[in-house]
């Protein structure tokens, strides 16, 4: 069974405050006499469910088109984060028996907001703190997924991004894990192949 853990991309959807608004312009419509329906979409590359490339925070880092496809597809673990845990810390991670090569998706209370398509940006989302990101690098984690628009807290600096991306860890943001119970899955996460881009929207699915 497959579970779609991607956000819907809609006109005026939730976005990072300083990112462009998502606009979908249906410039050709059959009901208005056109031969076909056609649309233009305007959005940032970090829209909805998306993947960050190293280049997002490291100027000489690789772009989204060069991410290793072997990291984007494979076994993963959905970890349920209790509502009293915020941010995700090293102390929270230590008992989880994290191993080299793990792909970890963190399901928090954020998934409820994402699942409700709440368009209002919230600054109190659950994030990964810098110590937790360093711990995951030490453990040899391959991929980290979170269920809000940033892996990092709001306006707390960029240490988490720089640590994860600098170590070649894939960062998926904006997952909707509302319908994914904690447990092991096969992950398939494919970002649009935008040349040298610092990020790209992705369709992400889990197979039970
Ligand atoms: Zn991003």
């Amino acid at each position: 069974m497959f579970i779609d853990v991607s956000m819907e991309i809609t006109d005026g959807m939730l976005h990072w405050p300083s990112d462009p608004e998502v606009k979908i312009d249906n410039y050709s419509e059959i009901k208005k006499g056109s031969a076909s329906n056609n649309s233009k979409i305007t959005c940032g590359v970090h829209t909805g469910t998306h993947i960050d490339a190293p280049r997002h925070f490291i100027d000489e880092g690789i772009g989204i088109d060069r991410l290793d496809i072997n990291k984007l597809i494979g076994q993963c673990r959905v970890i349920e984060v209790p509502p009293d845990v915020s941010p995700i810390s090293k102390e929270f991670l230590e008992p989880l028996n994290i191993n080299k090569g793990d792909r970890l998706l963190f399901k928090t209370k954020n998934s409820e907001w994402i699942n409700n398509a709440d368009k209002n940006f919230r600054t109190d989302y659950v994030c990964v703190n810098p110590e937790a990101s360093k711990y995951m690098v030490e453990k040899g984690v391959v991929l980290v997924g979170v269920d809000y628009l940033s892996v990092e807290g709001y306006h707390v600096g960029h240490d988490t991004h720089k640590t994860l991306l600098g170590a070649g860890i894939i960062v998926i943001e904006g997952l909707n894990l509302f319908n994914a119970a904690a447990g092991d899955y096969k992950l398939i996460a494919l970002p649009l192949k935008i040349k040298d881009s610092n990020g790209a929207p992705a369709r992400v699915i889990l197979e039970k």
Side-chain angles (χ1 to χ4, degrees):
M1 191 183 72
F2 292 100
I3 305 170
D4 191 339
V5 292
S6 321
M7 289 173 74
E8 269 180 359
I9 295 177
T10 62
D11 197 77
M13 73 187 285
L14 171 75
H15 62 91
W16 189 258
S18 56
D19 280 2
E21 221 179 287
V22 177
K23 285 195 188 318
I24 300 173
D25 170 23
N26 300 316
Y27 65 83
S28 171
E29 293 181 73
I30 293 170
K31 68 170 183 283
K32 289 185 181 164
S34 298
S36 64
N37 291 318
N38 210 334
S39 317
K40 179 177 101 168
I41 178 165
T42 313
C43 67
V45 293
H46 297 260
T47 290
T49 307
H50 69 276
I51 299 180
D52 286 357
R55 171 158 299 187
H56 189 33
F57 277 96
I58 302 156
D59 207 28
E60 65 280 11
I62 59 168
I64 202 82
D65 53 318
R66 291 171 57 202
L67 294 186
D68 183 354
I69 208 105
N70 296 294
K71 292 183 181 175
L72 297 167
I73 300 172
Q75 280 305 117
C76 81
R77 201 165 138 198
V78 172
I79 294 167
E80 179 110 37
V81 180
D84 58 316
V85 175
S86 184
I88 294 165
S89 61
K90 184 182 174 187
E91 293 69 37
F92 173 70
L93 297 177
E94 273 170 341
L96 295 179
N97 187 30
I98 293 170
N99 295 302
K100 190 170 165 29
D102 278 357
R103 297 177 184 81
L104 306 174
L105 309 184
F106 295 104
K107 179 184 183 179
T108 76
K109 62 181 180 188
N110 305 340
S111 271
E112 213 171 298
W113 310 336
I114 294 279
N115 193 57
N116 292 338
D118 189 345
K119 293 181 180 183
N120 298 309
F121 182 80
R122 298 184 60 145
T123 57
D124 58 341
Y125 58 90
V126 183
C127 64
V128 175
N129 77 14
E131 290 69 36
S133 65
K134 284 185 199 112
Y135 180 72
M136 289 191 279
V137 171
E138 283 163 25
K139 286 283 164 185
V141 168
V142 155
L143 178 147
V144 173
V146 292
D147 54 359
Y148 211 62
L149 296 179
S150 181
V151 68
E152 192 126 42
Y154 189 64
H155 284 186
V156 297
H158 309 290
D159 289 349
T160 295
H161 268 109
K162 286 179 179 169
T163 300
L164 296 172
L165 296 174
I169 295 179
I170 305 281
V171 175
I172 310 181
E173 297 169 328
L175 290 166
N176 177 0
L177 296 170
F178 190 75
N179 294 313
D184 295 331
Y185 297 86
K186 181 183 178 187
L187 168 80
I188 302 169
L190 299 175
L192 293 177
K193 200 171 182 177
I194 306 170
K195 186 165 167 53
D196 296 331
S197 182
N198 56 78
R203 188 72 178 259
V204 181
I205 57 173
L206 301 178
E207 184 181 18
K208 190 62 194 169

